[in-house]
Amino acid sequence: MDTATRDDLERTLQEIRDAGLWKHERELTSAQSAHVTTGPAEALNFCANNYLGLADHPQVIAAAAVALEEWGFGMASVRFICGTQVLHTELERRLADFLGLPAAILYSSCFDANGGIFETLFGPEDVIVSDELNHASLIDGIRLSRARRLRYRNADMADLAGQLEAAVGARRIVVVTDGVFSMDGSYAPLDQICDLAEAHGALVLVDDSHAVGFVGPGGRGTPERFGVSDRVDIVTGTLGKALGGASGGYVASHHEVVDLLRQRSRPYLFSNSVAPVVVAGSLAALDLAQRADDLRATLQRNTAAFRTLMTEAGFDLLPGTHPITPVMFPGEDGAVRAARVAEHMLGDGVYVIAFSYPVVPRGRARIRVQLSAGHTEDDVRRCVDAFVAARAAVG
């Protein structure tokens, strides 16, 4: 690389540092859990997607260990060549049954699932109507499609109705939304979305990564929560959050959709299969999630307690009931303040992460706290106390 190019890149990096937007990667020196070590210090972990606390669950670890001995380390191939084991087809069947859809297909990540579905199903004669706060993987996947793209304001049903009117005449119309918006912890109003979609002959696609396993009475996600499981056409999601926290993603839908993805979806056709140990561990995690009423209840209690205590302490929280709880630091200096608070809290043994532009809009910096069923009531109180102490120290 020539000197001019390197100098130009370094100027961009320095601008990120100067703006207080630099994102540090902190190494864990333990397994993922509600209690971790980072460097020599122990810390309470309030920044992982480990909603049910299954990332280090003994049954999940045991299932993965058995699979390592029986099925090997990796597939060294893509699915249609020699990368499919009965483990893969079993997990696909179990996911489809759990979500109440006819079929499912595994991907190496949900990013790949979202990256592979749109160009396969939608072309120039189609319209994709997307929520403005959708996850980056949905946005990138939609960009890969040659379909016409329309965007509506976050969870704004009047704006969605207008965009659907503008899409009339297309061969296929699909409304695309996160089930839970990951930076805000807010739910998409799926019942209203389905009503509008049906009135305009549109499909509904939901990325439910931050819901499957713990949202809804049976943990089946936002379609179950809103009573529209039989009205959502396509669900994408991840195995990397509540369902064991490892890796891998999926699409669940009708047989025709899944069959076409197997034939045409580029991330599926050209990426290695999910490793057998991950598939086996995810099957065990799915078993646990299906009977995890106690874990879901604990998660709800922890979330409610944290929100109540933080509100009483005078912090600015985005409203909601989801375990994602954004603690807001608005204004031009919010990113710097949030980063300093997070750093001070780590010194007190509480691990949280500050989010700033471009992950969230400018002036809307936050510390996104994520509760887990693995946390105790004392853990939650310690987290709140660390916020209070850091606010006093940082200002």
Side-chain angles (χ1 to χ4, degrees):
M1 184 179 291
D2 62 82
T3 302
T5 299
R6 293 177 64 186
D7 288 346
D8 186 50
L9 295 176
E10 181 53 42
R11 281 190 293 271
T12 300
L13 293 170
Q14 192 58 49
E15 290 172 1
I16 295 172
R17 295 185 189 98
D18 293 343
L21 304 178
W22 191 265
K23 293 161 187 63
H24 298 276
E25 295 182 1
R26 189 174 298 278
E27 292 181 337
L28 299 185
T29 53
S30 69
Q32 180 65 273
S33 181
H35 296 246
V36 297
T37 59
T38 173
E42 294 184 0
L44 290 172
N45 186 358
F46 280 90
C47 54
N49 301 312
N50 190 22
Y51 295 111
L52 295 176
L54 301 182
D56 63 339
H57 194 283
Q59 291 182 36
V60 175
I61 294 171
V66 170
L68 182 62
E69 292 292 332
E70 183 175 352
W71 296 98
F73 178 65
M75 295 306 300
S77 184
V78 300
R79 287 286 295 273
F80 82 95
I81 300 176
C82 62
T84 299
Q85 293 172 332
V86 294
L87 284 176
H88 296 90
T89 52
E90 172 68 6
L91 181 54
E92 287 171 338
R93 184 188 65 78
R94 289 284 312 283
L95 283 168
D97 288 347
F98 182 60
L99 296 172
L101 287 161
I105 178 173
L106 289 176
Y107 285 80
S108 58
S109 69
C110 187
F111 209 108
D112 274 351
N114 288 336
I117 191 167
F118 294 102
E119 67 173 342
T120 303
L121 297 181
F122 305 103
E125 61 271 53
D126 304 317
V127 175
I128 300 171
V129 187
S130 176
D131 190 289
E132 66 177 347
L133 293 189
N134 278 342
H135 191 267
S137 60
L138 288 173
I139 294 170
D140 287 358
I142 291 168
R143 285 172 177 162
L144 292 171
S145 164
R146 292 178 296 159
R148 181 183 173 200
R149 291 162 287 185
L150 301 176
R151 186 172 67 170
Y152 65 96
R153 290 185 295 273
N154 176 235
D156 186 327
M157 294 300 96
D159 195 23
L160 173 57
Q163 300 303 328
L164 286 168
E165 289 290 340
V168 169
R171 180 188 66 164
R172 296 179 190 140
I173 306 169
V174 60
V175 180
V176 179
T177 183
D178 283 1
V180 177
F181 298 98
S182 60
M183 286 299 115
D184 292 352
S186 58
Y187 292 98
L190 288 188
D191 50 349
Q192 299 175 58
I193 289 173
C194 287
D195 288 345
L196 285 171
E198 289 168 4
H200 292 82
L203 305 170
V204 177
L205 184 153
V206 179
D207 179 335
D208 221 20
S209 293
H210 285 277
V212 170
F214 63 97
V215 169
R220 291 172 174 82
T222 52
E224 182 185 44
R225 183 182 193 271
F226 286 93
V228 293
S229 296
D230 58 340
R231 300 169 66 192
V232 172
D233 300 283
I234 304 169
V235 174
T236 68
T238 182
L239 306 174
K241 297 184 180 8
L243 299 181
S247 60
Y250 56 84
V251 175
S253 186
H254 303 280
H255 284 289
E256 295 83 357
V257 170
V258 169
D259 288 347
L260 187 58
L261 292 174
R262 291 194 195 280
Q263 300 303 313
R264 295 280 180 83
S265 180
R266 291 169 66 84
Y268 178 81
L269 291 171
F270 295 100
S271 294
N272 261 22
S273 308
V274 180
V277 291
V278 172
V279 176
S282 299
L283 278 165
L286 185 56
D287 283 338
L288 291 165
Q290 287 183 284
R291 56 179 190 269
D293 291 347
D294 56 337
L295 294 177
R296 285 187 280 272
T298 298
L299 179 59
Q300 291 172 5
R301 285 196 302 271
N302 287 343
T303 300
F306 179 78
R307 287 181 174 273
T308 297
L309 292 170
M310 287 290 284
T311 301
E312 291 173 351
F315 286 91
D316 179 13
L317 307 183
L318 291 185
T321 59
H322 192 274
I324 292 173
T325 309
V327 183
M328 302 303 292
F329 292 81
E332 293 184 2
D333 64 340
V336 174
R337 287 188 290 117
R340 289 176 177 170
V341 166
E343 190 67 25
H344 190 280
M345 289 177 67
L346 187 61
D348 284 345
V350 176
Y351 185 18
V352 293
I353 292 292
F355 288 81
S356 55
Y357 180 84
V359 180
V360 296
R362 292 186 189 275
R364 299 284 291 169
R366 65 201 65 184
I367 291 175
R368 185 182 71 172
V369 176
Q370 292 177 267
L371 283 301
S372 168
H375 293 130
T376 67
E377 182 180 343
D378 286 344
D379 292 341
V380 174
R381 291 185 178 277
R382 274 189 59 193
C383 183
V384 175
D385 290 344
F387 264 106
V388 172
R391 179 178 59 186
V394 171

